[in-house]
Amino acid sequence: VWSSLSATVRAGDRPVRSEGRRERGGDPAVAADGRGFPVPLSGGAPSGAGPGGADGAPGSDRSVPVVLGQMFLVPLLIVASACGAYLLIRAAVSGPGSTSRIARDLSSGDPRLQWQAALALWARKVDDPSVVGPLVAILEGPATEYGASGRLFLRGIDSAQGRDLPDYDLRWYAAVLLGRLRDPRARPALERAAADGDPALRAFALRGLQEGGWPEAHAAFARAVSDPDRAVRCVAAHALGASADEGASVVLRGMLGDDDIVVRWNAALALARRGEVAAAPVLARILDPEFGTEADRAGLDAASRRDLVRAAVHAAARLRAADLVPSLALLEARSPDDPELQALAREAVARIGAGTPE
């Protein structure tokens, strides 16, 4: 389902995140994508075809920001069957290609209809300007949380799975959907949301701006590197890594001095995506077989650590940095239980030796 948001995610393209569930207003889980941020969330955040497209790293497709995947995977899985029924009913009434019903439901003010319509819009990848206005209204309106508004819609599903549903804000979906539509009318609203007081909304608004691919959004990304929330800074790093603005590299080099190590990892991966050798010292540290201790201190779970190391291998190959060959060789030698990682390390060394760009 992460692919619903980011496209097919393969080795080296998955986000790195900190352990623990993000509490509203608290420190969010973060992720780092070695080949360029978006660090969406362990295979589960809104991604879609982000600006920059596929970047050709070995065994990978494209990347998305960390924070996002975690927030989207669970709700998308839970509502899959219900959303399917919704689509069938709406298709019978409005016709398979019509979005007029979805636009009306988004504007209805009924949280349940709005959630159903947003998820249907997400699944259908509709490109219709008629939904821009309703999505902007949701983005700029009050929080509409899944846990509060979707209980009737999901009655029995969450209890059958033996867990409570966390709260997911509909505005997060609206932000990314607006970016995917790439309608210029959405950009001002997303920029305002990126300056909102809610850290999660700021992160998703930045992701929406990145999805939109608007050159004017660079200023919002540059401002976000000083955001007090580290997840927001990680999303900003990822967006800057994919930016066509010549000043993005300067901003990212400054982020290598961030107080938070996870932000520094994201900044290094974003710099590597831009071909900047300034990323090499941080990448060497990630490739060190003793990196596990540092990752533990940062709160990364095993899956996130695995993804981060693979991202660093892809980044090293992209940079064609000969100084990283010893680190890659040592990583291969000390990873006998992970043949996939060994193969990636060997491929990266071969690319560096042959001078083959990713």
Side-chain angles (χ1 to χ4, degrees), residues 218-273:
H218 173 78
F221 303 141
R223 286 192 299 269
V225 303
S226 58
D227 194 281
D229 188 279
R230 76 171 179 177
V232 175
R233 300 200 300 278
C234 286
V235 176
H238 180 228
L240 289 166
S243 174
D245 193 288
E246 294 181 357
S249 293
V250 175
V251 178
L252 285 167
R253 286 196 291 271
M255 295 184 77
L256 292 176
D258 194 280
D259 292 339
D260 192 293
I261 192 169
V262 181
V263 176
R264 297 198 295 272
W265 292 338
N266 276 277
L269 294 171
L271 280 168
R273 188 177 190 183

Side-chain angles (χ1 to χ4, degrees), residues 3 41 61 69 76 113 175 179 181 187 195 225 230 240 250 268 332 344:
S3 61
L41 323 237
D61 189 353
L76 285 175
L113 289 178
L181 289 166
R187 183 174 61 83
V225 303
R230 76 171 179 177
L240 289 166
V250 175
E332 179 189 355
L344 288 173

Side-chain angles (χ1 to χ4, degrees), residues 306-330:
R306 173 182 178 277
D307 290 342
L308 177 57
V309 172
R310 280 161 170 70
V313 172
H314 289 298
R318 172 184 291 280
L319 286 177
R320 305 193 300 279
D323 291 348
L324 294 176
V325 168
S327 298
L328 290 165
L330 185 59

Side-chain angles (χ1 to χ4, degrees), residues 273-311:
R273 188 177 190 183
R274 301 179 67 83
E276 294 278 345
V277 295
V282 178
L283 297 178
R285 181 61 190 147
I286 297 172
L287 295 170
D288 190 315
E290 304 302 321
F291 173 70
T293 302
E294 194 169 344
D296 288 341
R297 287 199 300 267
L300 296 189
D301 59 22
S304 296
R305 185 189 317 160
R306 173 182 178 277
D307 290 342
L308 177 57
V309 172
R310 280 161 170 70

Side-chain angles (χ1 to χ4, degrees), residues 128-130 132 178-188 190 212 214:
D128 188 323
S130 69
V132 172
L178 284 168
R180 283 172 36 167
L181 289 166
R182 301 194 173 190
D183 189 304
R185 293 176 296 165
R187 183 174 61 83
L190 287 168
W214 300 290

Side-chain angles (χ1 to χ4, degrees), residues 20-326:
R21 174 171 295 177
R22 174 187 179 113
E23 298 299 329
R24 193 166 183 75
D27 183 43
V30 242
D33 172 352
R35 297 170 323 108
F37 191 1
V39 170
L41 323 237
S42 176
S47 157
D55 47 24
S60 63
D61 189 353
R62 65 190 62 166
S63 61
V64 186
V66 151
V67 171
L68 301 182
Q70 280 179 332
M71 296 177 177
F72 279 85
L73 180 60
V74 174
L76 285 175
L77 288 174
I78 291 176
V79 302
S81 59
C83 185
Y86 168 81
L87 287 173
L88 289 173
I89 294 171
R90 295 305 186 196
V93 174
S94 304
S98 172
T99 56
S100 59
R101 175 73 68 173
I102 290 177
R104 286 197 296 273
D105 287 351
L106 288 172
S107 304
S108 67
D110 182 328
R112 184 170 62 170
L113 289 178
Q114 289 177 314
W115 268 108
Q116 291 172 329
L119 292 168
L121 186 61
W122 190 281
R124 294 174 64 175
K125 295 180 173 61
V126 172
D127 183 9
D128 188 323
S130 69
V131 301
V132 172
L135 286 171
V136 168
I138 289 173
L139 179 67
E140 297 188 326
T144 304
E145 295 181 346
Y146 205 92
S149 66
R151 291 297 174 184
L152 180 60
F153 179 51
L154 298 175
R155 177 177 295 169
I157 297 179
D158 53 333
S159 59
Q161 295 191 3
R163 64 166 180 267
D164 291 332
L165 287 172
D167 289 336
Y168 292 90
D169 193 334
L170 183 59
R171 296 177 301 172
W172 303 347
Y173 282 80
V176 183
L177 285 167
L178 284 168
R180 283 172 36 167
L181 289 166
R182 301 194 173 190
D183 189 304
R185 293 176 296 165
R187 183 174 61 83
L190 287 168
E191 289 178 340
R192 289 190 293 271
D196 186 87
D198 178 350
L201 182 58
R202 294 200 300 272
F204 279 93
L206 288 172
R207 180 57 186 170
L209 287 169
Q210 183 183 356
E211 290 277 355
W214 300 290
E216 301 86 349
H218 173 78
F221 303 141
R223 286 192 299 269
V225 303
S226 58
D227 194 281
D229 188 279
R230 76 171 179 177
V232 175
R233 300 200 300 278
C234 286
V235 176
H238 180 228
L240 289 166
S243 174
D245 193 288
E246 294 181 357
S249 293
V250 175
V251 178
L252 285 167
R253 286 196 291 271
M255 295 184 77
L256 292 176
D258 194 280
D259 292 339
D260 192 293
I261 192 169
V262 181
V263 176
R264 297 198 295 272
W265 292 338
N266 276 277
L269 294 171
L271 280 168
R273 188 177 190 183
R274 301 179 67 83
E276 294 278 345
V277 295
V282 178
L283 297 178
R285 181 61 190 147
I286 297 172
L287 295 170
D288 190 315
E290 304 302 321
F291 173 70
T293 302
E294 194 169 344
D296 288 341
R297 287 199 300 267
L300 296 189
D301 59 22
S304 296
R305 185 189 317 160
R306 173 182 178 277
D307 290 342
L308 177 57
V309 172
R310 280 161 170 70
V313 172
H314 289 298
R318 172 184 291 280
L319 286 177
R320 305 193 300 279
D323 291 348
L324 294 176
V325 168

